[in-house]
Amino acid sequence: MATLPGSAPTRAPAYAWYVLGILFLVYVLNFVDRQIISILAEDIKRDLHLKDEDLGFLYGTAFGVFYSLFGIPLGRLADNWHRVRLMTLGLALWSAMTAFSGMARSGGMLATARIGVGVGEATASPSAYSLISDYFPKRLRATALAIYSSGLYVGGGLSLGIGGLIVQRWNHAYPDGGPFGLHGWQAAFMLVGVPGLVLALVIATLREPIRGAVENLPEPAAHPAPFKEFLAELVTILPPLTLIGAAMGGGRALLVNLLGLGAVVGCVTILLAFGEPWPQWVAIGIGAYAVFSWACALKRRDPPTFRLIVGNPAFLCVVVAYGLNAFVSYAVSFWASPYVLRTLHEAPAMAGLLVGSSGALGGFLGVTLGGIAADRLRRRNPAGRMLVVLFGATVPLPFVILAFTATSTLVFYPAVFLAGICASTALGAAGATMQDLVLPRMRGTATGTFFIGTTLLGLAMGPYLAGRISTLSGSLSTGVLSLLLTAPITIAAGIAAYKLVPRAEANREIWAREAGEPI
């Protein structure tokens, strides 16, 4: 049923806050399952005979590339299908694959499990961002998204504390391997995978809100074939099916696709010729080519969505500004535990407790306060939220330098805590800005695109490059701090977004209509 004309609501009902609480728990588990590998890294490195760059690949690239690839078609499915059901299935999948990680006997097996976790988790944020945006009015949206996003830091912190405790106690009780020959890090993966299977049953009970009602917009017509659309989207982004998708668009589309493929293959070949590890750069090449193929197909298949996302400089600048923030933040988040274990010689349980609790508290405070500040700034300034993004890109840098040059835990822990507070302020502001630039029916796709920046650009590159430079230089500190050289690009993208966002939001409906949207 279409929403009747009238003033849009300014308050959120109690049930909306209940849904937000459940989605927050989902995101907590999302990052418990994603982040726990950090505190287990030293044991995994020893048992599977890996290097720092391999750990960065497992944490970031193996997960992040496939999270990105499936995020787009699953974002479209969230736009066209039942978001609650999609999230239920995704949560069950990534929880099962986390438990499967505990069965790994090689780096390849663990990489396969991490890919599965990435595919499952790709359902979460497109569905959650879209649901939250349809439960909360615009004036509360950054606050609500910030509360949801704080699950990132709470989950990441819990994972370190829980993982460190499990691995230390298990290894103490079974120094040569426990039941079924399992080591502590394997038991930790298995134990943290189970709660997600239980929470999936709770998610299945949530109500699906009417799309656009909170903004007093007409309800979009139900999509007649959401899974057919999902498969059509998958063909545009999953190699080598992308060649079939391009061929369906005609000879010119296929030629453009092949030229893009050739450019990516050329770049990867050059990197391999210089001795770079092939798993990382083949995976990044697959991701870059897949995104290129998808963008070309989107322009043919859905011009209005292309215009407001890929063809919108304001949207792209938001993605780059926050993506490079994530580039540093993910590296700091992952390598903090190995640094304190390896360089400062902390015990695993204590490292997990202190790094985890400081990350959880700092992230929760930062993302929540940042979201509230972003909403208040937005009321006075159409581009006010981008000021918070710029704050999150610049203020943490001195604290990161202080942490990764520390020779004492008395310096390291407070510095990591302060860096986490400051960096996390940007997430809710960037997410809300991205949602405001698109129409309600495009929110899942927009979220999938937004997370390309935080995964391909941030997660798949930051932790790996820090590990690779650590391997080459022999210094983990050098590996992490070298990433700060990207700060000028982050700031430039944030300033550009600040200038572009107000006009882009004001012209949202006009640009969509000019591209063919029936509004």
Side-chain angles (χ1 to χ4, degrees), residues 31 39 45 185 202 204 215 235-236 279 307 337 344 347-348 385 400 406 412 436 445 453-454 464 466 470 507-508 512:
F31 270 81
I39 194 65
K45 179 181 180 180
W185 63 269
V202 179
E215 294 182 49
V235 167
T236 69
R307 176 64 182 88
S337 294
L344 305 182
R385 286 172 178 156
V400 173
F412 179 84
D436 289 345
T445 304
T454 61
Y464 168 80
S470 171
N507 287 279
R508 182 181 69 171

Side-chain angles (χ1 to χ4, degrees), residues 4 16 18 48 122 170 175 180 314 358 445 447 467 496 505-506 509:
L4 296 175
Y18 165 74
L48 301 185
W170 187 279
F180 306 105
S358 66
T445 304
T447 304
E505 185 176 349
E509 283 78 9

Side-chain angles (χ1 to χ4, degrees), residues 56-66 279-280 283-284 459-461 464:
F57 172 80
L58 287 169
Y59 172 73
T61 313
F63 173 94
V65 168
F66 288 89
Q280 168 71 17
I284 290 294
L459 182 57
M461 294 292 288
Y464 168 80

Side-chain angles (χ1 to χ4, degrees), residues 26-36 59 67 94 121 125 149 151-157 159 330 333:
V26 172
Y27 213 36
V28 167
L29 286 182
N30 185 303
F31 270 81
V32 166
D33 294 351
R34 184 186 305 191
Q35 188 72 21
I36 193 170
Y59 172 73
Y67 181 89
W94 90 63
E121 290 195 10
S125 286
S149 300
L152 180 164
Y153 304 100
V154 175
S159 72
Y330 275 123
S333 178

Side-chain angles (χ1 to χ4, degrees), residues 233-251:
E233 199 76 34
L234 201 62
V235 167
T236 69
I237 199 168
L238 188 64
L241 300 179
T242 45
L243 295 174
I244 299 173
M248 292 169 62

